[in-house]
Amino acid sequence: MTKNTLIVGASGGIGRAVLENIKQSKKQEDVIYVASRKHLSIEDDSVISKQLDYSERSIKSLVSQIDNDKIKLDEVYICTGVLHDFEQQLSTLKPEKRLEDINVEAFERYFHINTIIPSLWLKYLVNTVSKNGSTIGIISARVGSISDNRLGGWYGYRSSKAALNMVIKTAAVEYARRASKTCLISYHPGTVDTGLSKPFQANVKPEKLFTAEFTAERFVNVCRTSNPEQSPRYVDYDGNAIPW
Ligand SMILES: NC(=O)c1ccc[n+]([C@@H]2O[C@H](COP(=O)([O-])OP(=O)(O)OC[C@H]3O[C@@H](n4cnc5c(N)ncnc54)[C@H](OP(=O)(O)O)[C@@H]3O)[C@@H](O)[C@H]2O)c1
């Protein structure tokens, strides 16, 4: 059976590794759509790469292209998200340590990137996922758990991931009616050695700092072993449930 996949955020540490993982197991007739803000040159005819800015118009346009190609998606991996922008010369996004650090513009950016963009994918994909069974895995984070919050801090990131979880839970109710064989997954990858976690790795034990390749393998495996009856799942890299 053919397996059609969409990977969003394919230039990022985890997104790129998910693409490599999917490519390894793909059959000739399978189609992989890849979305990124960057232009990616991928030498593989069955990979359709689309550069987009994650505006609503660009998301709608890519999903329309998939519809026009008469493709239904079996697996979707949404790997976008932001914690800081330290790589930029004029960095404005920094996880808050205390209430006084809360900044309106930064808070809005966290919500736009971490909550609103994945919500738009859920909005446009509802009629494009396969009705025979499909999975949409969205990378959230354990810090988005309201009941698991002991450490505090990171107001914007934490809240944007908690809001993302709420969107996933709410969308699951509607997907159960409109695309009943779809499993929605809010996924925690652990601490992964990518640009996002780089500035915060100092206190992470080496065995708890995962490679992107290991992470992709676990993420794909959790998505492939989930079923619609479990939707929505909030799970970690071991497949263990996280309390919402
Ligand atoms: N690394 C960790 O330890 C860790 C832990 C828990 C959760 N996560 C989550 O895992 C996901 C992937 O993170 P990563 O570790 O792979 O980080 P990464 O290497 O920094 O990749 C982040 C991705 O997000 C997209 N992105 C970055 N800035 C953006 C912006 N301003 N607007 C729209 N999209 C933007 C990029 O997509 P393009 O391809 O479009 O450029 C990029 O692929 C995120 O949701 C993150 O919160 C990561």
Side-chain angles (χ1 to χ4, degrees), residues 9-14 36-38 54 79-82 113 117 139-141 157 161 188-192 194-197:
S11 85
I14 299 177
S36 177
R37 292 168 308 158
K38 302 208 174 104
Y54 301 130
C79 308
T80 46
V82 75
I113 298 163
I117 290 173
I139 310 188
S140 177
Y157 184 75
K161 292 293 192 179
H188 171 64
T191 306
V192 188
T194 65
L196 182 138
S197 72

Side-chain angles (χ1 to χ4, degrees), residues 83 140-162 165 188 234 242 244:
L83 172 60
S140 177
R142 192 186 295 277
V143 298
S145 166
I146 290 179
S147 38
D148 191 56
N149 183 359
R150 285 166 298 224
L151 280 179
W154 293 19
Y155 286 88
Y157 184 75
R158 202 183 269 288
S159 316
S160 63
K161 292 293 192 179
N165 287 349
H188 171 64
Y234 183 22
I242 301 172
W244 298 88

